[in-house]
Amino acid sequence: MKNYFLSIFLMLVFSISHSQNTISIIQKDKSKITISLNSDPNDSEIPVQTLDIKNSKNNYIQVASLEASVTGKPSHLTADDYNFDGYTDFACFYSDDGMGVYNIYQLFIFNPKTKQFDYLHFPAGSDAKCGMFCDVKIDKIKKTFSSSCRGGARWHTDVWKFNKNKKLILINDKRN
């Protein structure tokens, strides 16, 4: 009997530790998109995870690789409209590898023409205080999103907006 409970316990622990993080979203065209986050089975020095993105409208599967925590912290998925175009986008995030005081975000913007998600690269050459997207918060009224990080003893907040050409621009940076 003890062996039976031990087997069930081990199977439960194994299935939880190797489970996928999956979200589903419905776009304006009524297509259902399922996004699954998977750990890369290759034990490389640079941790990588893969995303499998399936669109029910055309059964197309998009695969993307993304950065993962170097200390093995779990990644999570969340969905929102980051560029305020009416289509649902998504982000993958994990706690920073230092003290874990903020989450590092990788944003994916839905492209209605290709029906795929494009990775939103952090704008090079900006005067942003955070060198990446961290603790992303959306302001739907102002149609902006903020990114907050810690540098030394200070907190910094960068506020971003997409211009009329759909280019991401820094509109404000604050120190808290």
Side-chain angles (χ1 to χ4, degrees), residues 68-80:
S69 166
V70 296
T71 58
K73 293 180 180 175
S75 294
H76 308 280
L77 296 171
T78 187
D80 213 322

Side-chain angles (χ1 to χ4, degrees), residues 16 18-24 34-39 49-52 74-78 91-93:
I16 290 172
H18 289 86
S19 64
Q20 293 182 21
N21 190 348
T22 302
I23 60 172
S24 294
T34 304
I35 304 155
S36 299
L37 177 63
N38 306 292
S39 294
Q49 291 183 307
T50 58
L51 291 168
D52 295 330
S75 294
H76 308 280
L77 296 171
T78 187
C92 179
F93 66 94

